[in-house]
Amino acid sequence: MSQTLVTYFSASGVTANAAKILAQAAGADLYEIKPEVPYTRADLNWMEKKSRSTVEMNDPSSRPAINGKVEHMDQYQNIFIGFPIWWYREPSIIDTFLESYDFTGKRIILFATSGGSGLGKTAEGMKKLVPGAKVENGRMFNGKVSEADVKAWVQSLNL
Ligand SMILES: Cc1cc2nc3c(=O)[nH]c(=O)nc-3n(C[C@H](O)[C@H](O)[C@H](O)COP(=O)(O)O)c2cc1C
């Protein structure tokens, strides 16, 4: 069994594609963070003040429910967490995920896709939710994702 897990949330498939390439390159297990209530197109409308994503992202205590669970989280030492950047940070469902397990002593490496924003202070914010873990801003996967490039990156991480 692998000691490395790639987890991801993806509302429209872009992060899912990167996650699959990453899991392959890292020889890691793959787990999709699925919302209990899937996001509709209307939910994702960031121009709309009352859309679900806007309401959730404006409320730091929002914790959208996840459908399912990672079996044997204790077996993993390195956990990649991938997501689309929403309002310059991780979607609230990632906060739900972080609070659902004991990540003490584990290495968490973030990756993301976006329309252009970077990870910014995402790791700093997430660290507050999992104080016992090491949380690192990994990298963005915007544009075409090259398998060779991802492999080289994974190797440089010394997992
Ligand atoms: C609610 C919402 C907020 C977003 N906020 C940002 C943002 O702050 N910066 C940015 O560059 N892209 C933003 N985006 C664009 C997504 O990050 C981008 O389309 C991403 O690749 C989608 O990934 P997915 O297909 O895995 O869901 C936002 C998208 C949504 C739906």
Side-chain angles (χ1 to χ4, degrees), residues 8-20:
Y8 67 95
F9 163 67
S10 181
S12 56
V14 181
T15 311
N17 177 55
K20 284 169 196 164

Side-chain angles (χ1 to χ4, degrees), residues 65-80:
I66 293 170
N67 178 6
K69 209 167 169 27
V70 175
E71 296 292 335
H72 311 297
M73 183 62 96
D74 40 317
Q75 110 186 24
Y76 300 107
Q77 179 54 35
N78 311 300
I79 296 132
F80 288 91

Side-chain angles (χ1 to χ4, degrees), residues 8-13 32-46 48 50-59 61-67 83-84 86-87 89-97:
Y8 67 95
F9 163 67
S10 181
S12 56
E32 180 179 0
I33 299 167
K34 288 188 189 143
E36 205 159 275
V37 181
Y39 288 86
T40 63
R41 254 183 98 105
D43 289 341
L44 298 172
N45 185 358
W46 65 82
E48 169 57 64
K50 288 182 182 156
S51 77
R52 177 179 169 197
S53 58
T54 307
V55 171
E56 286 177 359
M57 296 306 289
N58 274 330
D59 174 7
S61 69
S62 165
R63 295 291 183 272
I66 293 170
N67 178 6
F83 45 83
W86 282 8
W87 295 104
R89 65 174 182 95
E90 79 285 5
S92 326
I93 195 166
I94 297 295
D95 298 343
T96 311
F97 183 76

